[in-house]
Amino acid sequence: MYTMDFDIRIGRYRLCMTDKVEIHRSVELLSDTAVITLPATACNRALQVEDKLKRGDRVTVAIGYRETGLATEFEGWLQRISTDGGNLRLHCEDDLFLFRRDLPDGTLQKVALKDLLQKVAEGCGLSLEVDCSYTWTYGKFVISNATGYDVLKKVQEECGADIYLQGSTLHVHPPGEKTGTERFYDFARNIEEDSLTYHRAEDKRVQVIVKALMPDGTVKEVETGTPGGEKIEIRCPTGDDASMKARGELEVKRRSFDGYDGSITGWLVPPCVPGDSATLHDADYPCKDGTYFVAAVSTEFSAAGGKRKVNIGFKLS
């Protein structure tokens, strides 16, 4: 049996006790989050942390087993402290927390997405490089009473991109364009439970309608997918045919394929993060084996043990 251990540091302090740690990471959400739950009392006295910890303190969470070594599962910043339900909870956000700063109001004319992102980073006082796979240009982009985080959120909603900070680089890429480490899961070895449904593309047809607002105020539409399938409407920030078609085809790829849909739950080993690929193997049904893009990962660490829930996205192979 493995021995669970943790190393959690917040600001100048290292925690010596914790009730639970919950970490949620997803390519579909802009930022990764962690919630650290502390006991309400220690030695029969109410636990006081508000005078020691403050918003903006650096947070590092390493959890795992002593026999295999701890792994850093989360790095970010303390966003707020809550005492809901009699529990003391520390709510943390990854490095995109640094974009929660007000930007000056203004209107940018004919600005390329990469240049816009660079201006946003600079407006938040950050010295970052931008690695952006998209090449479209906004005819006009209005910033009004918004933070840098608001702008990144708008970009993500419009193009469905993976947006994340890695070192001193802000990455913006289509889902699945860049994948991390391949993780192997065997239903007979390292999957405790699953909530998976196997379906075929022909049974899950989708028709994607991509809409773009043109400079003259009209709305342009481009359709992709299978006519008669489930209708999905999405927005596109640019009105050229190639970009709109690519946006629609990406959404079809994400929703219609032969393979599993759902999640698997295992333990802290192997490690896994969104953007990795998960290869599933079932000795009883080898015809259903496949490799999937990892869309989200929820990790829980408590006295009950360590569990990792992996939500799979579209099929890679």
Side-chain angles (χ1 to χ4, degrees):
M1 175 179 283
Y2 287 161
T3 306
M4 298 180 63
D5 200 0
F6 66 90
D7 184 356
I8 301 176
R9 300 171 188 265
I10 305 175
R12 300 185 294 112
Y13 298 93
R14 178 183 178 184
L15 298 186
C16 60
M17 63 180 72
T18 182
D19 274 352
K20 182 188 294 186
V21 178
E22 300 164 281
I23 300 169
H24 185 63
R25 310 177 69 174
S26 172
V27 298
E28 297 176 354
L29 300 177
L30 191 55
S31 58
D32 300 333
T33 60
V35 178
I36 303 167
T37 303
L38 303 179
T41 61
C43 300
N44 294 321
R45 297 178 62 182
L47 195 62
Q48 298 291 336
V49 300
E50 288 87 346
D51 58 338
K52 299 178 178 63
L53 307 179
K54 64 181 185 302
R55 175 182 169 88
D57 278 348
R58 185 66 176 166
V59 177
T60 303
V61 177
I63 57 178
Y65 310 109
R66 293 177 186 173
E67 292 78 3
T68 59
L70 302 187
T72 300
E73 296 276 355
F74 179 85
E75 291 183 288
W77 309 86
L78 180 60
Q79 186 180 29
R80 64 185 177 91
I81 301 173
S82 70
T83 55
D84 304 329
N87 291 317
L88 186 62
R89 292 188 176 91
L90 310 179
H91 300 262
C92 312
E93 190 173 51
D94 71 358
D95 283 340
L96 286 178
F97 172 83
L98 300 174
F99 282 87
R100 291 188 179 276
R101 299 177 182 175
D102 293 332
L103 295 175
D105 292 348
T107 301
L108 302 175
Q109 302 286 350
K110 295 184 178 179
V111 59
L113 176 58
K114 183 175 181 178
D115 294 336
L116 170 65
L117 297 172
Q118 194 71 61
K119 290 180 182 295
V120 169
E122 293 171 356
C124 292
L126 304 174
S127 179
L128 300 172
E129 294 184 9
V130 176
D131 183 358
C132 179
S133 303
Y134 299 95
T135 58
W136 74 68
T137 296
Y138 285 100
K140 181 174 71 172
F141 195 96
V142 178
I143 298 176
S144 176
N145 192 29
T147 64
Y149 191 94
D150 294 331
V151 175
L152 294 183
K153 186 66 176 176
K154 176 179 174 60
V155 171
Q156 186 187 50
E157 290 173 348
E158 291 181 336
C159 64
D162 292 347
I163 300 179
Y164 57 93
L165 273 172
Q166 191 173 66
S168 60
T169 302
L170 176 64
H171 289 267
V172 182
H173 307 292
E177 179 181 275
K178 292 193 175 184
T179 55
T181 305
E182 184 176 8
R183 310 296 183 180
F184 292 91
Y185 291 94
D186 188 320
F187 284 87
R189 297 181 61 189
N190 59 354
I191 296 177
E192 182 181 21
E193 60 182 357
D194 71 84
S195 178
L196 296 172
T197 302
Y198 192 88
H199 58 75
R200 300 191 179 280
E202 61 190 34
D203 299 324
K204 198 173 182 180
R205 298 179 301 167
V206 295
Q207 180 180 12
V208 178
I209 303 172
V210 184
K211 295 184 176 182
L213 181 63
M214 305 304 288
D216 61 2
T218 60
V219 177
K220 180 178 178 180
E221 295 186 3
V222 171
E223 295 185 5
T224 58
T226 305
E230 177 190 0
K231 286 192 176 182
I232 300 167
E233 293 187 1
I234 57 175
R235 294 180 297 168
C236 186
T238 181
D240 66 279
D241 291 339
S243 295
M244 294 182 70
K245 183 178 180 181
R247 178 74 177 93
E249 290 176 344
L250 173 62
E251 201 63 30
V252 172
K253 177 183 177 182
R254 294 175 63 178
R255 295 172 179 269
S256 182
F257 54 85
D258 291 343
Y260 287 112
D261 179 39
S263 65
I264 57 174
T265 300
W267 297 274
L268 299 182
V269 177
C272 187
V273 298
D276 283 350
S277 59
T279 296
L280 307 185
H281 171 64
D282 188 340
D284 295 327
Y285 302 96
C287 60
K288 294 184 178 182
D289 287 0
T291 300
Y292 299 82
F293 182 73
V294 175
V297 177
S298 296
T299 304
E300 184 175 304
F301 179 92
S302 70
K307 292 188 177 183
R308 197 187 307 279
K309 180 180 179 181
V310 177
N311 290 75
I312 60 174
F314 56 83
K315 192 173 184 180
L316 296 172
S317 62

